[in-house]
Amino acid sequence: MADRSVAHLLIGGGMASASCARWLRELGAEGEILLVGREPDPPYDRPPLSKEYLRGSATREDGHYRPTSWYEEQRIDLSTRTSVMKLDAEARTATLSTKEVVAFESALLATGANVRRLNVDGGQLEGIHYLRALGNADAIREEAAGKRVVLIGGSYIGCEVAATLTQLGAQCTILMQEAVTLERGFGRRAGAFFQQRLQEHGVEVIGVDALERFEGAGDRVERVVTAAGRVLPADAVVIGAGVVPDVMLARAAGLALDEQLGGIACDERLRTSARGLWAAGDVAAYDSVIHGRRLRVEHWDVALAQGRTVARSMLGEDVVHDVVPYFFSDLADWASLEYVGPAADWDQEVVRGSFEAGEFSLWYLAGGRVGGTLSVGRSEDLQHARRLIAAGTVLDEAALARLADPASDLGSL
Ligand SMILES: Cc1cc2nc3c(=O)[nH]c(=O)nc-3n(C[C@H](O)[C@H](O)[C@H](O)COP(=O)(O)OP(=O)(O)OC[C@H]3O[C@@H](n4cnc5c(N)ncnc54)[C@H](O)[C@@H]3O)c2cc1C
């Protein structure tokens, strides 16, 4: 027997759930909405945790999706510090950590992702950090500002944190397996551009090497030892080794998972294998009608957009999630990037603008089709990129020449 009944149960206290709650109300949902999140804070933006918040130029509250009063005004029951422990997809009930059993008409699984932890010798030493939640950012700022910091991983977390901590007076070294930073997402050419920006500001970058172990005296980390035998002195370490979608609840509930992408398997409407249950955000692996393949992305904007799609769907609209994913990242105020895509593989890169001037878009094509576009200072190109990605237009030689000419109008492509 359920202790209470709600129309919409939103599981997870991140952007996907918050956006879903917002749109449910904006689109006229009348029924009770319960948003359950494990963390102590109301839903908040994670991007500032490696940027403004880490730097100390934004407060905790600045990052809140909405002030707490908003939830009350909107009649959204917000349960922080509460977990959904068990989900019965058939009976449509959820058991909370408070022992309360909640019956629901529809539910969103937006349990997000957890950091990928590295299992190496010395990994338990103090001073070794991961970054996912507000408390992690507080601890990093406290321990790393003005110190020698080694960042493990050359993706956007490692790069952003290195840039921010450098601004706080730290001496940062990035250690990564790739040849250049951000190479996995954006290729060598763009990666080298961002790496140069980091190096110009004093960040040391070590590529084509790997973490072997941590060493310390007593409980504290003092050195990072690499596979190639380098020994890097470290007062603190920040590991950015990717994330693992949190499918624990979904798995126990018997929902279909995408073992390859590691998320909850959804259709193009973000519906899971159980009726009345949707998924969104970092945990959702959905059939993308735009890409013609299963996709799971870990982007702030996607969590928001998918939360909205689910709200519409919960209210009975027949809606396919057909938004081209958008991503942004800032390396302090040294370089800002935006990206639409994602391109899986590409056989051609077309540059529009100038790397030297730091104002370009880079177009990733496969078989003449645009799969993704990176912009540094050319945001206006992205609307055309979105259109071309969605349409799957094959660009001929003349069109490619226009793409490469920054003065040409992309509207006619
Ligand atoms: C430091 C950092 C910087 C980032 N910067 C950028 C950026 O610049 N650009 C960009 O596009 N993206 C960025 N991202 C990624 C972006 O923040 C994520 O894609 C986004 O947070 C995903 O939102 P979500 O709601 O899917 O999941 P999450 O934010 O992970 O939220 C899920 C929440 O659900 C909770 N939860 C899990 N299971 C349960 C349960 N059973 N019961 C209750 N609660 C549960 C979790 O504790 C968590 O609070 C960044 C992420 C980090 C960590």
Side-chain angles (χ1 to χ4, degrees):
M1 273 296 282
D3 299 306
R4 71 185 278 201
S5 291
V6 300
H8 311 284
L9 173 66
L10 312 181
I11 306 171
M15 281 301 107
S17 278
S19 166
C20 185
R22 169 196 166 184
W23 286 105
L24 279 168
R25 281 290 178 250
E26 287 208 12
L27 296 169
E30 288 293 341
E32 209 173 319
I33 301 172
L34 172 62
L35 195 165
V36 182
R38 185 182 281 162
E39 293 186 63
D41 289 84
Y44 61 89
D45 286 339
R46 296 190 198 279
L49 302 187
S50 47
K51 311 177 186 71
E52 310 86 292
Y53 183 75
L54 182 60
R55 193 159 49 233
S57 56
T59 66
R60 218 173 166 97
E61 288 72 29
D62 288 341
H64 286 176
Y65 179 73
R66 293 288 187 275
T68 37
S69 55
W70 176 82
Y71 294 89
E72 218 176 289
E73 281 156 27
Q74 296 295 317
R75 291 184 299 111
I76 296 161
D77 189 352
L78 174 65
S79 282
T80 53
R81 298 177 196 270
T82 310
S83 294
V84 173
M85 307 299 285
K86 193 171 157 236
L87 188 64
D88 186 331
E90 191 108 315
R92 295 205 204 171
T93 58
T95 308
L96 312 189
S97 48
T98 56
K99 306 268 186 299
E100 197 179 19
V101 177
V102 180
F104 56 84
E105 285 165 33
S106 61
L108 167 67
L109 273 142
T111 47
N114 300 310
V115 293
R116 184 184 302 281
R117 294 191 172 265
L118 301 182
N119 189 12
V120 295
D121 283 353
Q124 77 295 342
L125 289 169
E126 280 172 25
I128 299 173
H129 300 269
Y130 292 86
L131 177 55
R132 184 74 192 172
L134 278 160
N136 304 136
D138 292 336
I140 293 170
R141 191 189 317 108
E142 200 172 305
E143 284 199 359
K147 302 277 180 53
R148 289 170 308 180
V149 184
V150 176
L151 294 304
I152 309 292
S155 73
Y156 78 92
I157 294 281
C159 293
E160 289 185 352
V161 172
T164 304
L165 292 181
T166 301
Q167 289 187 311
L168 294 178
Q171 278 170 265
C172 294
T173 302
I174 296 176
L175 172 69
M176 61 188 181
Q177 294 171 329
E178 304 89 310
V180 295
T181 56
L182 298 168
E183 180 183 336
R184 288 204 183 137
F186 308 126
R188 286 225 171 155
R189 200 171 181 178
F193 170 83
F194 296 114
Q195 179 164 319
Q196 199 187 338
R197 284 287 158 102
L198 289 162
Q199 287 168 325
E200 279 166 8
H201 289 86
V203 177
E204 186 189 2
V205 183
I206 299 171
V208 203
D209 199 353
L211 169 67
E212 180 74 24
R213 64 181 181 278
F214 298 110
E215 289 180 353
D219 291 343
R220 248 205 109 71
V221 70
E222 288 194 334
R223 288 174 298 280
V224 175
V225 181
T226 78
R230 291 181 171 97
V231 178
L232 311 172
D235 303 309
V237 170
V238 182
I239 300 177
V243 296
V244 183
D246 190 338
V247 294
M248 223 164 75
L249 191 64
R251 191 188 294 277
L255 300 188
L257 304 179
D258 186 310
E259 297 296 346
Q260 208 188 339
L261 297 174
I264 302 173
C266 306
D267 68 6
E268 67 284 4
R269 290 171 170 76
L270 304 176
R271 293 181 300 206
T272 70
S273 56
R275 215 166 55 86
L277 259 76
W278 284 259
D282 285 9
V283 81
Y286 72 105
D287 286 330
S288 170
V289 288
I290 287 174
H291 301 81
R293 59 186 155 98
R294 233 337 129 66
L295 203 63
R296 192 182 66 75
V297 286
E298 296 141 10
H299 303 347
W300 176 84
D301 193 63
V302 172
L304 291 174
Q306 291 186 342
R308 182 170 190 261
T309 297
V310 171
R312 291 170 63 192
S313 198
M314 280 180 171
L315 295 175
E317 224 181 297
D318 182 23
V319 45
V320 167
H321 187 73
D322 59 358
V323 182
V324 178
Y326 168 84
F327 175 76
F328 66 93
S329 173
D330 298 322
L331 307 182
D333 50 1
W334 315 336
S336 289
L337 68 87
E338 296 173 279
Y339 178 75
V340 293
D345 295 304
W346 60 93
D347 50 37
Q348 193 176 7
E349 291 183 2
V350 175
V351 183
R352 182 174 168 84
S354 152
F355 273 75
E356 291 69 34
E359 203 180 289
F360 63 88
S361 55
L362 185 55
W363 300 68
Y364 304 87
L365 297 105
R369 286 192 173 86
V370 179
T373 303
L374 170 73
S375 154
V376 175
R378 288 192 66 94
S379 303
E380 68 278 13
D381 288 354
L382 295 183
Q383 55 168 314
H384 302 292
R386 280 192 184 90
R387 182 171 51 77
L388 292 169
I389 292 168
T393 314
V394 177
L395 302 182
D396 59 17
E397 285 305 317
L400 290 173
R402 282 224 297 285
L403 203 59
D405 173 7
S408 71
D409 173 22
L410 293 182
S412 56
L413 281 185

